[in-house]
Amino acid sequence: MSEQEYRHIPATGLAGQTGASAGLITCDICEALCCTHDEAATHCPVCGASLHLRHKDSLTKSLAYLVAAAILYIPANLLPVMQTNTIFGTQDDTIMSGVLVLLYTGSWPLALLVFFASIVVPLLKLFSISLLLYTCWKKSAWNPLQRTQLFRMVEAVGRWSMLDVYVVTVLVALVQFKSLAAVHPGGGALAFGAVVVLTMLSAQSFDSRLIWVAKTHE
Amino acid sequence: MKPAIKPAHQFIVCHECDLVCADVPVATGEAASCPRCRAILYRNGTASIDVALALAITSVILLLLLNSFPLLSLKVQQVTRDTTLFHAALAMWDDGMHILSLLVIITTMLAPALQISVAVYLLYVIRFGDARLALGAPLRALQTLRPWSMVEIFMLGLLVSLVKLQHMADIVIGPALWSCASLIFFTAALTSVLTPRNIWLWAHAAKASKAATGVSHV
């Protein structure tokens, strides 16, 4: 029993009315509709979560996480993520060399998967969030629907970059045969894990409602 | 001039673009989506609270199995090494990667365990307990934990490790790997059923039926 297929029915939107202009807000947590005319109502009466018409300092926070992630993206790719000691010697593997090893010894679909999850997705996330932050900061009215869809994609695929961290974890735990073969984690793995967490935090801090601000004021 | 605020449940404010939409009933198996940004506003599924509770309890059992049995065993020249999830994370710790080890423990053990326990608590309280108990805090926890629970990505990491290891040793797949695979399936089903909207619907129905029969649970 996986997720059901639903037929999608577009709801009727009240033309031009936004929650902000009507003094209505949907609680992020419990989806209860709350009225914000009451100045004191800063917390959802149903579940007690704090309510914001827009996330506080959304762009600043998101940008801060993004910059940190972008900086760490460099060591994440340059430093080795793991070190393999065998009787034949020591070998350092970076993310990219791990992909190449998979390509030569494993199968190309798997190499492609790891390449996407570890290299393409983090890079696309950095660019996409930068684009979203820039356009929202400029209050751009450019293609809000496509930008929203981009954001949805960023949120959905972001976690999958943890793949390489888990691969290293499993290899480190399993391949410990004293002098014969042993795998140790490298600094790249730490930087890489940090990039994943920071880009996730950056996406979570971003308030997608900002994409539509310019549209509303037209 | 601001429009008069109708009773709150007639509207829903899109959480992604802030458009005020009419909360119209949709038929079973249909989902209402925002006409402007196409976010799904709500779904009318057929799931009952009993189904959700069954899914949650199954997930608890699978999670316990996943954590108690070895994931993979590796055989190299009479030496066998196997690892459980926790030991894999600990191996990382022993190698000096403390932060990474914690990240693995949080995303593959702590977050899923908390997520499932909170789900069981919520459903149990609504189904058998006093629905007037505060549901807000657990619901908030559930929504916060969701992106940080990465069992499905860990599973993919296991599969990649399996391919990487197949050239160097004999691999025996442990029982925990099968639990991991089924856990992904059941938690995905649980997540799709355990929406805030469904929780409020179940809580209201439970309250109404208790009021009607006059039965009070201690």
Side-chain angles (χ1 to χ4, degrees):
Chain A
M1 210 196 109
S2 61
E3 188 151 343
Q4 273 174 277
E5 276 301 317
Y6 289 94
R7 197 157 71 88
H8 286 224
I9 310 289
T12 333
L14 303 184
Q17 279 292 332
T18 60
S21 65
L24 291 172
I25 184 167
T26 305
C27 175
D28 288 337
I29 303 298
C30 70
E31 293 174 13
L33 189 70
C34 310
C35 176
T36 54
H37 288 318
D38 183 2
E39 291 292 320
T42 54
H43 291 274
C44 172
V46 183
C47 74
S50 57
L51 292 174
H52 307 287
L53 273 178
R54 301 286 178 264
H55 290 293
K56 199 164 173 286
D57 300 326
S58 161
L59 291 183
T60 321
K61 274 189 205 163
S62 187
L63 181 67
Y65 286 127
L66 186 74
V67 169
I71 293 169
L72 282 167
Y73 185 76
I74 300 163
N77 280 284
L78 293 181
L79 291 179
V81 286
M82 63 178 190
Q83 190 184 55
T84 317
N85 300 313
T86 59
I87 36 176
F88 305 112
T90 302
Q91 193 198 341
D92 280 327
D93 267 315
T94 58
I95 299 237
M96 195 61 211
S97 73
V99 173
L100 291 177
V101 166
L102 268 180
L103 190 62
Y104 295 135
T105 61
S107 52
W108 66 264
L110 213 57
L112 205 65
L113 175 82
V114 176
F115 180 71
F116 258 94
S118 314
I119 295 182
V120 178
V121 166
L123 207 58
L124 276 181
K125 265 185 93 170
L126 292 177
F127 279 120
S128 310
I129 300 177
S130 310
L131 177 77
L132 289 171
L133 288 177
Y134 180 74
T135 50
C136 287
W137 175 60
K138 282 281 178 197
K139 297 199 166 44
S140 157
W142 173 68
N143 276 342
L145 179 60
Q146 278 171 22
R147 279 191 288 148
T148 305
Q149 283 165 341
L150 179 70
F151 178 63
R152 252 171 239 158
M153 208 172 70
V154 164
E155 273 203 310
V157 300
R159 315 150 71 234
W160 288 92
S161 304
M162 277 296 273
L163 182 67
D164 249 319
V165 173
Y166 294 140
V167 172
V168 173
T169 307
V170 173
L171 292 183
V172 166
L174 276 174
V175 187
Q176 295 297 341
F177 294 97
K178 300 207 173 67
S179 52
L180 214 58
V183 170
H184 298 286
L190 180 62
F192 192 78
V195 170
V196 181
V197 172
L198 286 168
T199 49
M200 277 175 73
L201 289 172
S202 180
Q204 279 176 19
S205 323
F206 180 74
D207 191 335
S208 61
R209 291 173 290 197
L210 292 171
I211 296 174
W212 296 88
V213 167
K215 192 84 181 168
T216 312
H217 290 298
E218 260 170 13
Chain B
M1 203 194 105
K2 283 187 173 129
I5 304 293
K6 301 256 175 64
H9 54 267
Q10 291 190 357
F11 295 112
I12 185 163
V13 179
C14 174
H15 54 278
E16 286 196 46
C17 77
D18 209 31
L19 185 75
V20 179
C21 305
D23 190 339
V24 287
V26 294
T28 306
E30 286 181 346
S33 52
C34 172
R36 188 164 77 162
C37 78
R38 297 181 200 165
I40 290 165
L41 297 171
Y42 48 88
R43 300 172 162 141
N44 186 1
T46 47
S48 72
I49 184 160
D50 292 331
V51 170
L53 200 54
L55 287 171
I57 292 168
T58 313
S59 302
V60 171
I61 296 167
L62 289 169
L63 191 78
L64 290 175
L65 292 176
L66 167 65
N67 282 290
S68 359
F69 288 99
L71 290 160
L72 293 173
S73 303
L74 211 60
K75 236 161 110 181
V76 176
Q77 297 183 351
Q78 275 82 52
V79 189
T80 310
R81 233 192 117 81
D82 56 21
T83 190
T84 60
L85 189 51
F86 187 52
H87 283 117
L90 277 190
M92 208 63 155
W93 181 280
D94 290 341
D95 245 317
M97 286 284 175
H98 299 174
I99 298 174
L100 215 49
S101 160
L102 285 178
L103 185 64
V104 172
I105 290 179
I106 289 170
T107 52
T108 60
M109 300 178 70
L110 227 51
L114 273 173
Q115 196 188 13
I116 293 170
S117 341
V118 170
V120 170
Y121 167 81
L122 255 179
L123 292 168
Y124 181 83
V125 163
I126 297 172
R127 180 72 176 77
F128 301 105
D130 191 343
R132 283 168 304 177
L133 275 178
L135 301 177
L139 195 51
R140 218 150 61 209
L142 209 60
Q143 300 286 77
T144 317
L145 284 167
R146 205 162 272 181
W148 300 103
S149 162
M150 307 189 182
V151 179
E152 67 275 30
I153 304 163
F154 181 75
M155 178 80 196
L156 198 62
L158 270 177
L159 297 179
V160 173
S161 319
L162 227 133
V163 173
K164 284 198 172 195
L165 289 170
Q166 69 183 2
H167 299 281
M168 83 179 273
D170 294 328
I171 308 170
V172 182
I173 290 173
L177 197 121
W178 301 115
S179 323
C180 189
S182 15
L183 183 65
I184 294 165
F185 180 72
F186 280 98
T187 41
L190 181 64
T191 308
S192 73
V193 163
L194 205 63
T195 57
R197 194 180 174 90
N198 274 347
I199 289 172
W200 297 127
L201 284 177
W202 292 329
H204 283 303
K207 215 184 279 180
S209 78
K210 256 168 224 163
T213 53
V215 178
S216 74
H217 289 257
V218 184

